[in-house]
Amino acid sequence: GTEAHALAWVVFAISVGVLLAIDIACLQTPLSAGRMSFQTAVRLTLFWIVTGLCFNMFIWGCLGFDASLGFLQGFLLEYMLSFDNLFVFHLVFSYYCTPEALLYRALYFGIAGAIVLRIVFLAVGFTFMNSGIYFFKFLFGAILVWSGVRSAYDLDDEDTADPTNNRFIAWVTKNLPVSDNYEPHGHFFITVAEVECRPPRSS
């Protein structure tokens, strides 16, 4: 019922908040010191998988088998899709020669931004899709088709290996002052005197 759904959302929100706090408090300092070991990466991966499966069991007990099956399918789908992100991260970090000590900070804020944007887009999409106006369904469908075709086309385009070919990045580096070097502590905004502004590039 409604109370069960409300309880599930409350538990989900509290769990995410607590886990993010643990991640920030316990992992940021050791990871900022350098490369994560393979053993640590395996343990953390297993921890997050087990955590997701435990929440799935909670959904089963709270909302029933169908709801838990839907959550499990979404959980597995997101995990499979996340492998694409690994290649994107490697490409960007390699091209810009991101120091290992700053990788965690870049990933943290990048993923946090992606979560916020996903929530916004899901809320907007859900609102439009349930507005009763069928035009939005065709519009979002066309966007998905266009994105799929564009992605397939970009696979054979060597220029996509260069992140600076992205129009947004090109606009930012042209119109905003961007330092050519990384700030040692990973600060986003710095004050420098008479610096030539250009994006960080590999040597």
Side-chain angles (χ1 to χ4, degrees), residues 3 9 32 40-41 43 46-47 54 59 65-66 77 81 88 92 101 126 129 131 135 145 155 163 178:
E3 294 182 357
W9 278 109
S32 62
T40 301
R43 287 195 294 266
L46 292 176
F47 169 77
C54 288
I59 293 294
F65 175 76
D66 291 339
L77 177 62
L81 293 176
V88 176
V92 174
F126 179 81
M129 293 294 286
S131 63
F135 167 75
V145 172
L155 290 176
V178 181

Side-chain angles (χ1 to χ4, degrees), residues 129 134-150:
M129 293 294 286
Y134 288 97
F135 167 75
F136 291 112
K137 296 184 179 182
F138 290 107
L139 176 62
F140 287 122
I143 293 175
L144 288 175
V145 172
W146 178 81
S147 300
V149 173
R150 181 66 181 273

Side-chain angles (χ1 to χ4, degrees), residues 96 164 169 173 178-180 197-201:
Y96 286 114
T164 57
I169 295 179
T173 54
V178 181
S179 174
D180 191 46
C197 297
R198 62 182 61 180
R201 298 184 65 90

Side-chain angles (χ1 to χ4, degrees), residues 82-92:
S82 67
F83 284 101
D84 290 341
N85 295 335
L86 296 178
F87 295 102
V88 176
F89 293 152
H90 178 72
L91 171 66
V92 174

Side-chain angles (χ1 to χ4, degrees), residues 167-186:
R167 293 182 180 179
F168 176 75
I169 295 179
W171 182 89
V172 168
T173 54
K174 179 181 179 181
N175 296 278
L176 299 178
V178 181
S179 174
D180 191 46
N181 302 305
Y182 286 98
E183 202 278 331
H185 301 288

Side-chain angles (χ1 to χ4, degrees), residues 15-119:
S15 301
V16 170
V18 171
L19 291 171
L20 285 177
I22 294 175
D23 181 85
I24 296 172
C26 300
L27 297 179
Q28 184 171 4
T29 300
L31 290 180
S32 62
R35 182 187 298 271
M36 177 190 294
S37 67
F38 177 77
Q39 292 79 5
T40 301
V42 171
R43 287 195 294 266
L44 287 174
T45 301
L46 292 176
F47 169 77
W48 289 114
I49 291 177
V50 171
T51 300
L53 294 178
C54 288
F55 185 77
N56 185 58
M57 296 301 296
F58 167 77
I59 293 294
W60 190 348
C62 186
L63 300 177
F65 175 76
D66 291 339
S68 68
L69 180 61
F71 176 85
L72 181 61
Q73 291 172 339
F75 182 79
L76 295 177
L77 177 62
E78 286 292 331
Y79 243 99
M80 289 186 290
L81 293 176
S82 67
F83 284 101
D84 290 341
N85 295 335
L86 296 178
F87 295 102
V88 176
F89 293 152
H90 178 72
L91 171 66
V92 174
F93 292 153
S94 298
Y95 185 85
Y96 286 114
C97 298
T98 305
E100 290 186 359
L102 299 180
L103 289 178
Y104 178 83
R105 184 173 175 83
L107 284 170
Y108 176 80
F109 283 100
I111 294 174
I115 292 175
V116 172
L117 289 176
R118 177 168 294 189
I119 292 175

